[in-house]
Amino acid sequence: MGQIRLQGVQKSFGPVHIIKGADLEITDGSFVVFVGPSGCGKTTLLRLIAGLEDVTGGAILIDGRNVVDVPPAKRGLSMVFQSYALYPHMSVRGNIAFGLKMAGLPKDEINRKVEAAAATLNLTPYLDRKPRELSGGQRQRVAIGRAIVREPKAFLFDEPLSNLDAALRVQMRLEVTRLQKQLGTTAIYVTHDQVEAMTMADKIVVLNGGKIEQYGSPLELYEKPANLFVAGFIGSPKMNFVTGDLAKQQGATTIGVRPEHLKVERDGQGGWHGTVAVAEHLGSDTFLYVDAGPLGMLTARYVGELDLHPGDKVSLIPDPARIHRFDDGGKSIRA
Amino acid sequence: MARMVTTRRKAISTAAAWLVGFLIFFPILWMVLASFKTELEAFAIPPSFLFFHWTTENYVTVQERSDYFHHALNSIIIAGGSTLIAMLIAIPAAWSMAFSPTKRTKDILLWMLSTKMMPPVGVLVPIYLIYRNFGLLDTRTGLIFILCLGNLPIVIWMLFTYFKEIPKDILEAARMDGATIGRELIYVLTPMAVPGLASTLLLNLILAWNEAFWTLNLSTLEAAPLTVFIASYSSPEGLFWAKLSAASTLAIAPILVLGWFSQRQLVRGLTFGAVK
Ligand SMILES: Nc1ncnc2c1ncn2[C@@H]1O[C@H](COP(=O)(O)OP(=O)(O)O)[C@@H](O)[C@H]1O
Ligand SMILES: [Mg+2]
């Protein structure tokens, strides 16, 4: 079991409030991603759950039990650090076995479990190597092995893939997701990369400035962002925002349209007119950065190749069903 | 082409390193050679490098005139004792500064080091008077005490830099793995800190062994370590080069042997862990 509930969790370092009251319910077996810009408090929130930092206020319940006064060793969680934090003086075997040794398991059981974990992660040939004799990707696997072998209530990941190169990152992303589904263990995963968040999560927590902006499934966040921040943070390229009269006509302070919901027409009638400033041709997609005069720069995405070049006049027609409206405070207006 | 340049550069730097090494080592070599010469040959100009009348009579005379083993024992007790006490004080001090630093940690460290900037002779008179009044002159306790205090800033500073190098993450990983503080210390921290502890210990031992200012000024015979033993050959009846050399050779022999067997640790210690 691994159900985690946060109730009004707060954290300050001295006079600085870093986490300003977080309420969250994480169901057993789900994969939850904390995403947000750098410095928004993701790591801090994760460390509070781990017990590596003490809360300033609020409660953290694991399977119904408040653990704020329980030391990290006794919370039954395991963590994968951004730096991997492997024990440099121990072999891969020693690293993976350490937690089991601390739990006082018999030797043969430890060996059996370590070997099973190593097999799952393709680490068997490296069991007797030291961490410094491994590549970045292999170290990453050892760190994951160390986390899974203890069969914890939940895994905590702090940007575990950020030190890997792009290709390896995509591969490990898949592996981590697959492993988590296979084990059925609750996972909390911290990243600043919204693509990672969208692809891996069952549910995403969007954090900004120490506050939870929205909690929901990836598609919920994409289709019904709660506010301007979430709308701008989720989705790539970013959502276009337009203010002024055009927004007022829709009964909003700001309206937002995603690049993929703007239809591009050459010198067409209606819509928003502009001039192509930059055109990116990826073959599968064409991204257009359009100077739309008073509306500012707008981004449009066209699936497939579109033969347009800087200087070309275009009109962009927003899909009326996909226009997001926001009020003065940046909150979404739902019809 | 590039390869040729690098090989040549490597050869040149190797030669330069050997040259510097030889220059540094030469006085010691010269001293050892002189200790096997007669007093006359030790003075001779031009000096003879290897072709002289080899004799061990200096060593015999030195042992007859003064008790080498008495002084050597004092050296061992004083250097060992002061090092041990310094380590016992420095480990927790460096520990807390490295792992739970406060706003003042940097200042405290600098202040400690700043005490080493004053020449010791500046406090000789007050220390001497204190020692006289407390009956600490020419006692091992007194020397252990002053050497320990003198080296403490360096020991704390060195240990601090070592502990600082140990990533906090790894300790936290152990905590997440279910290790209690005690087990974290035994299984994770100590193994990672041992190289640092060892090289600090060695360096401090050598510093204390060779310390000559306080030992010469605060001891005469009873507690006098080997530094005083050497110095006794350089004054009253004029200089006796050969005997002085024999005494010095005897004095540095133990620490030289120790140094030889712990070269790697020492290099690490002297470079503050920069060489791995
Ligand atoms: N131990 C600490 N002492 C003081 N401030 C801290 C400490 N840890 C983190 N912070 C501050 O808290 C904020 C959030 O940090 P963090 O949780 O690491 O952000 P993120 O992981 O989202 O990038 C940052 O502004 C950081 O400077
Ligand atoms: Mg972080």
Side-chain angles (χ1 to χ4, degrees), chain B residues 60-211:
Chain B
V60 178
T61 323
V62 163
Q63 182 53 25
E64 266 168 14
R65 223 194 77 178
S66 45
D67 187 356
Y68 169 74
F69 291 102
H70 167 73
H71 297 296
L73 185 67
N74 278 342
S75 269
I76 290 171
I77 291 172
I78 292 163
S82 69
T83 301
L84 225 61
I85 295 172
M87 291 292 281
L88 284 182
I89 300 172
I91 289 173
W95 192 263
S96 67
M97 284 195 282
F99 290 104
S100 30
T102 65
K103 270 185 292 182
R104 295 262 165 264
T105 297
K106 275 260 131 62
D107 301 339
I108 292 174
L109 277 167
L110 271 178
W111 167 74
M112 284 186 188
L113 205 65
S114 74
T115 61
K116 297 299 291 177
M117 292 171 192
M118 186 172 65
V121 71
V123 287
L124 177 60
V125 173
I127 294 274
Y128 189 90
L129 292 178
I130 291 170
Y131 266 50
R132 197 191 57 189
N133 293 345
F134 281 88
L136 287 170
L137 286 177
D138 202 18
T139 61
R140 289 170 184 163
T141 318
L143 289 181
I144 288 177
F145 191 64
I146 195 84
L147 294 195
C148 171
L149 287 183
N151 284 339
L152 206 49
I154 297 173
V155 179
I156 292 180
W157 191 275
M158 272 183 81
L159 288 179
F160 172 79
T161 31
Y162 281 121
F163 291 162
K164 203 85 204 147
E165 259 183 58
I166 296 175
K168 234 181 159 173
D169 278 5
I170 296 179
L171 305 184
E172 290 178 344
R175 234 163 283 166
M176 292 301 295
D177 261 343
T180 55
I181 293 280
R183 289 167 145 205
E184 179 185 323
L185 253 155
I186 297 169
Y187 292 112
V188 182
L189 245 153
T190 315
M192 290 201 295
V194 156
L197 292 176
S199 42
T200 308
L201 190 107
L202 269 166
L203 189 73
N204 192 50
L205 209 55
I206 292 174
L207 285 178
W209 187 276
N210 292 334
E211 204 289 327

